[in-house]
Amino acid sequence: MNNASKFHKEGFNCAESIIKAFNRDNNLNIPVSIASPFGLGMAVQSTCGAVTGALIAMGAVKGRNESSVQNESREIAKEIMNKVTEKYGTFECSKLKQKGVSCDEMIDYTYEILKDYTK
């Protein structure tokens, strides 16, 4: 396992934990604060914070800065979401919790997917 969940154990939310691990492993400085509103499923147990954190990190390295450039990050986002759905049947925080899936499990699983798409 990648140990991204160690940041969650330190008190960071799921999205922040993904950004912290991604920064650590890629020598980046994506502001962790960008992910702060996305914990606990965007604060309303909607889309899992680990998933949104992964999408933020992926966008930071694969996103575009000019509208004239093709948005390749959209397809990667779709693939990340699909992988989570294939494994857990949902990417919604409330439903994951109902199934007994822990935040740490989601953080570590989603982080592994993120690493595959940002090599």
Side-chain angles (χ1 to χ4, degrees):
M1 228 2 99
N2 61 58
N3 208 21
S5 59
K6 83 177 190 90
F7 294 112
H8 188 253
K9 290 175 178 64
E10 292 176 7
F12 291 96
N13 72 37
C14 296
E16 293 167 336
S17 297
I18 295 283
I19 301 299
K20 292 279 292 178
F22 197 71
N23 282 341
R24 175 198 63 201
D25 294 346
N26 294 282
N27 199 29
L28 295 172
N29 195 24
I30 301 166
V32 174
S33 59
I34 290 172
S36 293
F38 295 97
L40 193 61
M42 296 189 276
V44 293
Q45 293 197 13
S46 183
T47 303
C48 170
V51 173
T52 56
L55 298 183
I56 291 167
M58 183 271 303
V61 296
K62 299 281 187 178
R64 63 185 182 166
N65 291 310
E66 303 291 330
S67 62
S68 60
V69 175
Q70 183 177 351
N71 185 357
E72 295 178 13
S73 66
R74 186 175 301 154
E75 191 60 34
I76 297 170
K78 184 177 172 182
E79 291 180 31
I80 291 171
M81 303 284 289
N82 285 339
K83 284 192 178 281
V84 170
T85 302
E86 285 172 16
K87 179 165 178 141
Y88 296 104
T90 185
F91 51 80
E92 286 188 45
C93 179
S94 62
K95 291 181 181 174
L96 289 162
K97 288 179 187 261
Q98 287 172 357
K99 292 178 173 228
V101 180
S102 73
C103 292
D104 290 342
E105 179 178 345
M106 283 305 300
I107 291 166
D108 287 337
Y109 178 71
T110 305
Y111 191 70
E112 288 299 319
I113 298 169
L114 173 64
K115 288 187 338 185
D116 288 342
Y117 285 101
T118 55
K119 291 179 183 176

